Amino acid sequence: MAHTDDYVLGRSLSDSVRLDAQHLLWKLHTGHTLHPQIPIADGMKVAEIGTGTGIWIFDLAKDLPRTAQLHGFDISQDQFPSRALWPPNVSLRVLNSLVDPPPSLAGRYDVVHVRMWASNIKDRDFGPLISHVLRLLKPGGYVQWEEADLVHQVVEGARAQQFGEKVPVLFGKVGLDYRWASDIHHRLQKARCTVLRFKRGRFQSFLAQKCTETYLLALAEIFRGIRKSCTDDLLPLLSECEADLQELSALHSNKGVVYNWSPIEVLARKGE
């Protein structure tokens, strides 16, 4: 189907594999799919916004009662698996999560899962996303949010550090401001949620390469997206970043290159 969204990442086969690899990265980091503080109950309703390939929803479905209902939403259906592969209690559908949800979905869910929206928010305006999440939730429902903090990075190796100095300059010129990720918990508190957990950490050493691999793939997607609408004055910087990225991608597995973002975990509960 045609897209009218401004998604800067790709939706090709390799992009879908990256999303699935990032799910593995998160699960190995946190040790769970659904946060253990969220109670599991018969008939519970779970939503994920920006579901992509649906990998989180599919992984969770096997751990919940068969009576649970799991709904994945995304602005594009291009990465959805074939309908024949969906578990009976899972559905995926197209929905724009930067506008208010339809009344039929308001106050319907016990849990809303959000993961890695950093590149979908421009100019730090994530108020509409917070509003959408809270409108989906029942009173007392839970928000489980995992985000990539691209400001507080873990970078090792001289070439990686040089690259890491150029990329924020490019992002700033195209309106990609990742500083908002560190403020999610405060915004949820202002929206009268109780924040049960906020943690910004770093990946254990055995996960550093997996983060580097998926991050470099994501950056290649972002650069391709930027090139589609890049102005002439930005082309030299973009081309330089692309060349550096290609070099890092060739080095990452055996030259001590680490290029990681910091994982942020937020668990909050909507007011009764």
Side-chain angles (χ1 to χ4, degrees):
M1 66 184 291
H3 306 302
T4 57
D5 60 281
D6 295 322
Y7 188 57
V8 297
L9 294 161
R11 295 188 175 101
S12 68
L13 174 61
S14 62
D15 305 324
S16 294
V17 172
R18 175 189 55 79
L19 285 180
D20 292 346
Q22 284 176 335
H23 174 68
L24 175 63
L25 176 66
W26 275 110
K27 189 165 185 177
L28 290 172
H29 174 68
T30 65
H32 59 256
T33 304
L34 187 70
H35 196 283
Q37 284 185 245
I38 298 175
I40 294 175
D42 286 335
M44 67 187 298
K45 295 180 175 64
V46 179
E48 181 182 40
I49 60 172
T51 195
T53 65
I55 185 66
W56 184 87
I57 285 279
F58 287 3
D59 191 15
L60 180 61
K62 61 183 175 49
D63 298 330
L64 297 186
R66 293 183 179 181
T67 55
Q69 298 178 34
L70 300 93
H71 299 158
F73 301 111
D74 202 287
I75 200 169
S76 166
Q77 65 181 1
D78 283 2
Q79 291 173 290
F80 293 175
S82 166
R83 178 66 182 85
L85 301 177
W86 302 357
N89 58 344
V90 167
S91 69
L92 306 176
R93 59 175 279 193
V94 172
L95 184 71
N96 184 352
S97 295
L98 295 178
V99 299
D100 288 343
S104 61
L105 297 179
R108 186 174 179 183
Y109 294 98
D110 300 286
V111 181
V112 174
H113 180 243
V114 190
R115 176 180 283 170
M116 296 189 73
W117 272 73
S119 291
N120 298 329
I121 303 296
K122 289 196 173 183
D123 301 317
R124 304 190 72 183
D125 183 20
F126 66 108
L129 178 61
I130 295 280
S131 176
H132 184 99
V133 169
L134 296 183
R135 285 177 183 269
L136 290 176
L137 278 175
K138 297 176 180 178
Y142 293 84
V143 182
Q144 179 181 324
W145 195 323
E146 295 115 15
E147 194 53 74
D149 183 346
L150 275 63
V151 174
H152 300 92
Q153 299 190 137
V154 178
V155 180
E156 298 175 7
R159 291 178 182 176
Q161 290 172 353
Q162 292 168 4
F163 179 65
E165 293 172 359
K166 297 174 186 176
V167 174
V169 177
L170 175 64
F171 285 168
K173 292 182 180 295
V174 297
L176 289 173
D177 186 343
Y178 295 103
R179 290 174 295 173
W180 66 270
S182 296
D183 200 39
I184 296 167
H185 57 308
H186 290 139
R187 289 294 289 268
L188 289 170
Q189 286 174 330
K190 290 178 182 177
R192 299 185 180 180
C193 290
T194 300
V195 174
L196 304 174
R197 177 179 176 83
F198 172 79
K199 179 183 178 181
R200 179 171 59 225
R202 60 183 292 172
F203 289 108
Q204 299 174 68
S205 57
F206 80 100
L207 293 174
Q209 183 165 322
K210 182 58 61 184
C211 182
T212 296
E213 290 170 349
T214 54
Y215 192 8
L216 295 181
L217 287 173
L219 286 170
E221 297 169 32
I222 293 173
F223 291 170
R224 285 193 291 269
I226 292 173
R227 182 167 283 279
K228 291 177 182 177
S229 58
C230 187
T231 56
D232 290 343
D233 61 313
L234 279 182
L235 278 175
L237 177 58
L238 174 59
S239 298
E240 191 174 341
C241 287
E242 288 172 330
D244 289 351
L245 175 59
Q246 189 172 8
E247 183 179 2
L248 278 184
S249 298
L251 289 173
H252 81 278
S253 62
N254 59 1
K255 299 295 183 182
V257 171
V258 173
Y259 199 79
N260 287 188
W261 38 267
S262 295
I264 288 178
E265 303 167 60
V266 181
L267 179 67
R269 195 173 186 192
K270 183 179 177 179
E272 296 281 357

